[in-house]
Amino acid sequence: MAKRPVFCIHNEKVVSKICSFEWFPGFAVSQKRKSIESLHNAIRETDVSARPLEISTKGAEAVGVKLSAFNLRLNGHTLENIFQSAKVFENGGPYTDLLEVPPREAKRDPRLHNSGQLRVFYYQKDEFPLIPLTVFYDYIYYAAVKESLTADEINEIVRYNYFTDIEFNPEKSINTQARTAALVRLILEEYGDLPDLTKEEFIQYHKEHVVY
């Protein structure tokens, strides 16, 4: 058995719940999909109205695959590259050369682990704080969804009310595309579309609507 957080909307806030499910070990996509289906079945057992969506390249639904950080693009770069290249540490960064390497290579660059404490994010001549947690990741993810998906694909998100990321381990990281997808759905639910939000507007909305 394994445990994973799943993300949904409750009282106009993005919240997480922990679900226990049967884990299928192995790196093959077929094994990942078995684990995803097991997790989704566990969600349905606790909520008969649940319509879960896996947000990753391992998912079976096309919109969930497109919402993966490895597929979303913003200003010509993948979301993963932007996120890693924007990190500013006490002893280095931002490492903007990471914009031009494969996403998985950017994520594993040793400088990200050898440059001291993370201080801020710096992107397009603007600084983003570390608090609220995940706000920079969520901000660029939101912008990338608006740029990468069609209106029909964006509207498809509201068909789902639980969001999962089978690779996300909260003991190792805090950012997950599943949480942000839930936030996107909340904004769609409130506004009917994805409005253009300034950095300040997005941060304020994030403070009011995301629970850790």
Side-chain angles (χ1 to χ4, degrees):
M1 298 293 288
K3 293 182 179 181
R4 284 288 186 277
V6 301
F7 299 88
C8 60
I9 299 166
H10 180 68
N11 291 335
E12 299 182 354
K13 296 183 185 295
V14 175
V15 300
S16 62
K17 301 177 180 180
I18 300 296
C19 275
S20 298
F21 64 102
E22 182 180 0
W23 178 264
F24 294 85
F27 294 102
V29 173
S30 59
Q31 292 297 97
K32 298 291 185 183
R33 287 190 173 175
K34 288 179 183 177
S35 293
I36 292 167
E37 186 59 26
S38 176
L39 174 56
H40 286 186
N41 285 337
I43 296 170
R44 295 184 187 101
E45 288 176 4
T46 63
D47 183 351
V48 294
S49 65
R51 300 183 303 278
L53 177 66
E54 170 69 12
I55 310 294
S56 76
T57 57
K58 309 302 189 301
E61 301 295 332
V63 67
V65 174
K66 289 184 177 182
L67 287 167
S68 165
F70 288 107
N71 288 332
L72 289 176
R73 300 184 71 83
L74 178 63
N75 298 321
H77 300 101
T78 69
L79 185 74
E80 187 68 33
N81 287 78
I82 292 172
F83 180 69
Q84 301 301 341
S85 69
K87 292 178 177 179
V88 180
F89 302 90
E90 57 186 349
N91 299 319
Y95 300 116
T96 56
D97 58 297
L98 295 181
L99 286 170
E100 309 302 335
V101 302
R104 286 178 174 80
E105 185 177 326
K107 189 174 184 178
R108 296 168 182 164
D109 191 284
R111 293 172 295 177
L112 301 178
H113 308 284
N114 301 328
S115 299
Q117 292 292 319
L118 183 64
R119 294 304 189 196
V120 295
F121 292 93
Y122 189 76
Y123 181 60
Q124 291 194 325
K125 300 180 180 181
D126 207 352
E127 283 191 0
F128 291 80
L130 301 184
I131 303 296
L133 296 173
T134 78
V135 73
F136 174 67
Y137 180 91
D138 295 341
Y139 177 85
I140 59 173
Y141 188 103
Y142 179 81
V145 169
K146 287 170 59 67
E147 183 174 305
S148 300
L149 272 65
T150 66
D152 287 343
E153 289 169 338
I154 290 172
N155 288 331
E156 193 175 344
I157 297 170
V158 299
R159 292 175 47 200
Y160 304 93
N161 55 9
Y162 283 84
F163 301 89
T164 64
D165 178 356
I166 199 66
E167 301 286 8
F168 175 60
N169 183 344
E171 296 181 0
K172 296 182 178 180
S173 62
I174 58 172
N175 298 287
T176 169
Q177 51 209 358
R179 179 190 289 112
T180 325
L183 178 60
V184 170
R185 191 208 190 277
L186 176 60
I187 295 172
L188 281 169
E189 189 176 282
E190 180 172 346
Y191 290 94
D193 60 7
L194 297 182
D196 293 328
L197 300 174
T198 66
K199 182 186 80 169
E200 290 74 20
E201 289 171 338
F202 187 88
I203 291 174
Q204 184 60 38
Y205 190 90
H206 198 282
K207 287 178 180 179
E208 296 173 356
H209 295 278
V210 179
V211 177
Y212 295 95

